[in-house]
Amino acid sequence: MLSHLQACLAAYSSSSQRFVLALSGGMDSRVLLDLMAQYQAKHQAEGQTIDVIAVHVHHGLSKNADTWAQQCQTWSQQVGIPCVVEHVTLSNTQGESIEQLARHARYQALAKHVVAGDVLLTAQHGDDQMETFLLALKRGSGPAGLAAMPVCTAFGNGKHVRPLLTVSRADIEAYATAQKLDWVEDESNQDTRYDRNFLRHHITPQLAQRWPGIRKAVGRSAALCGEQEALLAELLADKLASALQSDGSLALAALTNARLGKALIRQWLQAQQVLMPSQAQLEQVWQSVVLAKDDANPQVNWHHYQLRRYAQRLYLIQQWPDIQGQEFALTLNQPCLLPQDLGQLWLTPCKEASTEPQLAHGDEQQALRLRQPIPQEVVTVRFDPEGVQVKPLGRVGKRKMKKLFQEYGVPSWNRRRTPLVFYGEQLAAVAGLFVVDGFAGKECELTWHNSLSG
């Protein structure tokens, strides 16, 4: 088992000296912890420095969760590997299964510990691979889904390696027994209401009894599907590069027919490491978004994402709760921290005199020049443009914010996420876009350091 681990890590992590081990405390990860302790000791005896940390994700779903976390810390301490416990809270607002939510939260927590060059290690094995393959088959997946889990894939700025993926559960259990290891048993693993558990307890044992070599056969099929996907990505790389725009969107002009278009959309989404839409959802994207009329505002939602169309481009955006009713104070020389990854807004004294205040937007951090608020004017940031009519500096006449957003090229989904700066109850500026007539000046600069795009 140790030789197998060494061969796998040599193949996929030759340049890495730091490993992040996902430690649930179950038998599989418990065995991987023991193997990594031996791997580290062997290399240290040869004068090489190998750093290993274990990360246990505490989901809080079981009454035994605190005990499992403590056990993982104890086992890690026994073999001299630091262990960090990450607490996560699951919030189901998208109708997802608890399995999907837990998996998403788990990898988000693990990603915090993986920096450039690191290798994330997880303990999925050959039986897990067969279950994943069968679940993909049940969903009607194509080669991408049937490729199941690769041994190695990109993960943030590092890699994700599954060194036990070709090892059977039986072999892992035999090793754990021989080494006299103990581990935790998650009671939810016996609940056959979950699809994976149903396969594990009722289906795969019968398949393996009938065809003893089926695990290896499934592994080969998954690997072949993975090779096909890799080849397709290679063949489409140039077309995808030409279709990809500077803001990360996808030009509709490149989607010349349904077969090529859907393939490019899949590759585009895969590059962004999001949960792939189902075949039905992808068909909906093609029919309802790509082929929609020019004046339509179509969208398709799945998981935490939306696919939208604007100015003949496709945009992938994250779904966010409505913030129209929220209000934030904006104080001179103090950062205003905006919600939902919208960055910071600053109102600062001007450092240099300017002959003319700025009129319109350029890049996302352009400063707009405003007058100093008078004492009774409380400065606030809001996100509700409904019914607001203003006259931007240098323009003739007032216009509704909806029309102004259209003129300034702000996509519909960002119009209620663009900060509106109010002096008292009067709109004074729209961050990154313009200053309202009557509020221009040379005393203050409004700067939006933001991540808003698409």
Side-chain angles (χ1 to χ4, degrees):
M1 191 78 77
L2 181 60
S3 298
H4 176 87
L5 175 77
Q6 290 173 321
C8 183
L9 297 187
Y12 296 107
S13 62
S14 57
S15 62
S16 176
Q17 292 185 322
R18 186 173 184 271
F19 298 91
V20 178
L21 168 60
L23 182 62
S24 69
M27 179 181 67
D28 313 325
S29 66
R30 179 71 178 91
V31 164
L32 189 53
L33 175 69
D34 186 76
L35 291 170
M36 285 305 298
Q38 295 181 55
Y39 177 85
Q40 184 181 46
K42 182 178 184 298
H43 282 267
Q44 287 177 341
E46 297 170 355
Q48 301 178 44
T49 301
I50 300 293
D51 290 331
V52 183
I53 68 163
V55 179
H56 174 81
V57 180
H58 186 306
H59 298 95
L61 295 174
S62 170
K63 63 181 180 180
N64 300 310
D66 291 338
T67 302
W68 298 341
Q70 183 58 54
Q71 283 285 79
C72 287
Q73 289 178 309
T74 299
W75 292 325
S76 297
Q77 185 179 20
Q78 289 172 350
V79 295
I81 292 177
C83 180
V84 178
V85 176
E86 285 282 350
H87 292 259
V88 299
T89 301
L90 305 185
S91 176
N92 192 354
T93 59
Q94 305 295 328
E96 301 162 276
S97 70
I98 195 68
E99 296 162 284
Q100 285 180 315
L101 285 169
R103 182 182 184 279
H104 182 71
R106 182 163 58 251
Y107 280 107
Q108 278 192 323
L110 292 169
K112 295 193 296 186
H113 298 272
V114 179
V115 299
D118 286 356
V119 173
L120 171 67
L121 298 176
T122 57
Q124 290 96 346
H125 46 68
D127 293 62
D128 294 323
Q129 182 76 313
M130 184 162 69
E131 293 160 8
T132 301
F133 183 92
L134 292 173
L135 288 170
L137 192 64
K138 188 258 306 186
R139 292 191 299 268
S141 300
L146 295 175
M149 297 180 289
V151 176
C152 180
T153 189
F155 186 81
N157 294 321
K159 293 179 180 179
H160 178 188
V161 176
R162 299 175 174 91
L164 304 181
L165 199 58
T166 59
V167 180
S168 70
R169 179 183 284 114
D171 287 343
I172 291 173
E173 186 171 3
Y175 176 91
T177 302
Q179 297 296 115
K180 298 181 179 178
L181 301 178
D182 49 355
W183 57 87
V184 302
E185 292 285 0
D186 186 341
E187 65 276 4
S188 69
N189 288 337
Q190 304 302 316
D191 189 346
T192 55
R193 291 177 299 176
Y194 298 123
D195 288 344
R196 187 174 289 273
N197 290 343
F198 172 74
L199 289 174
R200 181 174 303 165
H201 295 293
H202 296 301
I203 304 302
T204 56
Q206 293 188 55
L207 293 176
Q209 184 178 7
R210 175 81 177 195
W211 301 298
I214 193 170
R215 292 182 180 87
K216 290 183 178 179
V218 166
R220 288 195 300 271
S221 292
L224 288 170
C225 288
E227 288 179 11
Q228 285 192 356
E229 275 300 294
L231 177 60
L232 181 62
E234 186 177 331
L235 294 174
L236 292 178
D238 289 343
K239 290 185 180 296
L240 181 61
S242 63
L244 197 61
Q245 305 300 295
S246 59
D247 61 357
S249 62
L250 198 66
L252 290 179
L255 312 182
T256 54
N257 60 69
R259 185 167 61 180
L260 174 62
K262 292 175 187 178
L264 285 173
I265 292 171
R266 284 194 196 96
Q267 294 297 320
W268 174 58
L269 294 175
Q270 193 167 21
Q272 299 179 74
Q273 298 183 4
V274 302
L275 180 70
M276 296 297 288
S278 67
Q279 184 181 13
Q281 288 167 331
L282 189 60
E283 183 63 27
Q284 187 182 3
V285 168
W286 184 258
Q287 296 294 336
S288 303
V289 181
V290 176
L291 300 182
K293 294 180 179 179
D294 290 344
D295 60 351
N297 184 25
Q299 67 183 70
V300 170
N301 302 336
W302 84 99
H303 195 50
H304 298 288
Y305 308 102
Q306 291 182 337
L307 257 180
R308 306 288 293 261
R309 197 184 80 178
Y310 181 76
Q312 296 302 305
R313 297 180 184 180
L314 282 183
Y315 289 89
L316 175 71
I317 61 175
Q318 187 168 349
Q319 294 188 58
W320 294 106
D322 183 19
I323 56 172
Q324 277 186 260
Q326 296 190 31
E327 183 175 310
F328 301 86
L330 181 59
T331 306
L332 198 66
N333 280 327
Q334 295 292 325
C336 176
L337 302 179
L338 303 175
Q340 300 180 353
D341 292 341
L342 288 175
Q344 299 179 359
L345 204 61
W346 287 82
L347 188 65
T348 56
C350 290
K351 296 180 181 178
E352 298 178 2
S354 174
T355 57
E356 292 291 340
Q358 292 174 325
L359 305 181
H361 67 106
D363 62 45
E364 65 180 10
Q365 295 188 13
Q366 180 184 9
L368 302 176
R369 302 264 176 148
L370 292 91
R371 67 168 173 79
Q372 182 91 17
I374 59 179
Q376 61 265 38
E377 287 179 325
V378 177
V379 183
T380 57
V381 180
R382 307 175 192 177
F383 295 92
D384 186 3
E386 192 68 34
V388 177
Q389 296 188 55
V390 292
K391 176 179 176 291
L393 186 65
R395 301 283 294 271
V396 177
K398 291 184 177 182
R399 304 208 71 182
K400 290 184 177 180
M401 280 301 306
K402 179 180 178 180
K403 294 294 185 182
L404 291 170
F405 276 138
Q406 290 174 348
E407 291 179 22
Y408 284 105
V410 179
S412 60
W413 57 89
N414 281 339
R415 293 172 189 173
R416 287 175 172 79
R417 288 170 52 77
T418 299
L420 310 176
V421 177
F422 282 78
Y423 280 20
E425 291 303 313
Q426 299 296 312
L427 180 61
V430 179
L433 297 182
F434 59 80
V435 176
V436 176
D437 190 40
F439 293 90
K442 302 177 183 179
E443 296 85 16
C444 296
E445 287 186 343
L446 178 70
T447 309
W448 184 17
H449 299 275
N450 78 94
S451 57
L452 191 63
S453 62

